[in-house]
Amino acid sequence: MPLALLALAVGAFGIGTTEFVMMGLLPDVADDLNISIPSAGHLVSAYALGVVIGAPLLAAVTARMSRRTVLIGLMGLFVVGNALSALAPDNGWLLAARFLSGLPHGAFFGVGAVVATNMVAPERKARSVSLMFLGLTVANVAGVPVATLMGQHLGWRATFLGVSAIGLAAIAALAFLIPHDHEHTTAKGLRGELAALRSLPVWLSLGTTVAGFGALFAAYSYITPMLTDAAGYADASVTLLLALFGVGATAGNLLGGRLADHSLRGTLFGGLTALVAVLALFPLLMRTELTAAVAVTLLGMAAFATGSPLQLMVMEKASSAPSLASSANQAAFNLANAGGAWIGGLALAAGFGVTSPALAGVALAVLGLAVASLAYAVDRRRAPVAGRERIVASHVPQEAEAVHH
C-alpha cells in the first residue's frame, strides 16, 4: 500500500477527533460560556449540519481542480475552523466555527477515497479506503480520550488548538506524500456533477448508508445509560468501554476492507446481517458487565465492516462523478447519525426500556438490508440491458462503414 495513504489517515484522525470530542467537552463548554447543556448540544448539531451541506457542495465546486490541491485546501479550512473554535468569545461564534469546521469533513473523505483507490490496483481498492478510514476509527480509541483529558485539564480551548495542530501535520503530510495530479472530472461544472447523481443505484446505495449506520447510532447514542443502568458499570468506566468500541470499529474497518476486495456486495450483506444479530442480542448481552463489553466491541466491528463497501459501491455507481458521490455518502453518514439518534430516543421516550434503542436499531438495519437487496435486484435487471447496449455499440462502426461504402 502506498505511503501516501498515511497522509489521508492523519487527516481522518484529526477530523474524527474534532467530530466526537465535543460530546465529552459539553459540560466544560457550557460552564465556561454560561449556557445550558442542551444549548451546548447544538454545537454537535452545528458540526453535523456543516458536514451535510459542505460534503456535496465543496466536492462539486472543486471538481475541476487537482485532487491533491483540494485535499490540502480542505484541511486548511479544517484548521481555520478549529482555531476559530478555540478563540470563540461566545456561544454564537462557537456555533459558527463548529459549522465551518464541519464543512470540509465529508468532501475530504469523499475526495480522499477517490485518491486512495486511484493509487492502488483494482483488487486493493476497498483496502485502500479502509486504511484511510483507519484514522477515523483510531481517533475513537486514542484521539478522543486524549483530547477530552486535555480539555478537562487545560481547558476546552486547548483541545481545539491541539486539533488544529493535527490539521497542520496533515497538510504537511498531504503536501509531501500525495502525488501531483492534473486530471479533471469529465463532468462539465456543477450541473454536470449533479447530473451524475440522477442514478437510482446511487440513491439506493446512499439509502443503505443512512439505514445501516442509522441502526448503529440508534444504539450507540444511548450506550452510556445502557452500560450504567442495565449492565451496572460505574460512570468512570464508560470511557474505557467506548475505547473498546473504537477497537472493534478499527478491526471491523480493516476486515471489511479486505473482504470487500473479494466480494463487495457479499461483505455488505454480511456486515448488515451481523449488525442485525448484534443489536437483537443487546438486551440479553447488557445483563452482565463482561457480556456488555463484548457487545460494545461487536457493535463497532459489525457496523464499520460495512463502511468501505458502502463507500466503494457509491463511487462505482457514479463513476462519472466519484468525488461528489463519495462525499454525498459522508453526508448520508451524518444524516444517519442524527436520524438514528432521534429514532432511538423515540423508543426510549416511549418507555420501552433502556435497551430499546438497540431494538430500534434492529429495525433500521433490516431496512438497510432491504434497500441493499433492492439495489442488487436493480443491478441484475440493468446488467442484461447494459450488455445488449455494448453489443450494439460494438457493431455500429461496422454497419456505418458498410453504409458508407
Side-chain angles (χ1 to χ4, degrees), residues 34-338:
N34 295 316
I35 58 176
S36 65
I37 293 291
S39 295
H42 295 158
L43 297 168
V44 178
S45 302
Y47 183 92
L49 182 62
V51 178
V52 173
I53 293 176
L57 180 62
L58 292 179
V61 299
T62 60
R64 293 181 177 275
M65 298 172 60
S66 158
R67 291 189 178 114
R68 177 179 180 273
T69 301
V70 171
L71 288 172
I72 293 174
L74 290 171
M75 193 49 58
L77 183 59
F78 169 83
V79 171
V80 171
N82 281 279
L84 290 176
S85 296
L87 301 173
D90 54 42
N91 185 48
W93 281 99
L94 186 55
L95 279 169
R98 286 296 289 171
F99 175 80
L100 182 64
S101 300
L103 285 175
H105 176 130
F108 181 87
F109 279 108
V111 176
V114 177
V115 170
T117 55
N118 286 343
M119 289 191 293
V120 299
E123 65 273 12
R124 290 177 175 265
K125 284 187 174 183
R127 265 176 283 185
S128 72
V129 173
S130 71
L131 288 177
M132 180 186 68
F133 283 157
L134 186 64
L136 181 65
T137 57
V138 170
N140 283 281
V141 180
V144 173
V146 171
T148 302
L149 288 174
M150 180 187 296
Q152 292 170 347
H153 290 86
L154 301 178
W156 63 269
R157 298 179 188 274
T159 295
F160 291 112
L161 288 177
V163 172
S164 297
I166 297 174
L168 291 174
I171 290 174
L174 291 167
F176 280 105
L177 297 178
I178 298 295
H180 289 272
D181 66 292
H182 303 284
E183 296 181 3
H184 305 284
T185 179
T186 56
K188 297 181 179 180
L190 178 58
R191 181 176 299 178
E193 283 283 304
L194 295 175
L197 294 183
R198 294 175 184 170
S199 165
L200 177 60
V202 170
W203 285 103
L204 289 175
S205 297
L206 294 174
T208 306
T209 297
V210 172
F213 275 95
L216 164 65
F217 286 110
Y220 187 66
S221 300
Y222 306 95
I223 197 68
T224 296
M226 290 189 209
L227 291 170
T228 55
D229 297 349
Y233 275 103
D235 291 341
S237 303
V238 172
T239 301
L240 177 60
L241 290 162
L242 295 183
L244 281 180
F245 172 84
V247 171
T250 300
N253 171 55
L254 293 174
L255 179 62
R258 182 169 291 273
L259 293 176
D261 279 328
H262 297 285
S263 175
L264 184 63
R265 203 176 295 272
T267 304
L268 175 59
F269 278 109
L272 288 172
T273 302
L275 186 58
V276 170
V278 171
L279 289 171
L281 290 172
F282 245 60
L284 179 63
L285 295 175
M286 283 292 162
R287 293 181 180 178
T288 69
E289 292 186 354
L290 177 60
T291 54
V294 172
V296 171
T297 307
L298 291 178
L299 178 63
M301 288 187 66
F304 278 87
T306 65
S308 297
L310 280 169
Q311 193 75 28
L312 200 56
M313 188 169 293
V314 170
M315 290 164 59
E316 290 182 350
K317 300 304 178 187
S319 56
S320 61
S323 296
L324 179 57
S326 184
S327 300
N329 194 51
Q330 292 301 311
F333 179 89
N334 276 268
L335 286 174
N337 189 337

Side-chain angles (χ1 to χ4, degrees), residues 389-401:
E389 289 175 348
R390 285 194 295 270
I391 293 173
V392 171
S394 67
H395 285 80
V396 167
Q398 297 177 5
E399 294 172 359
E401 185 178 357

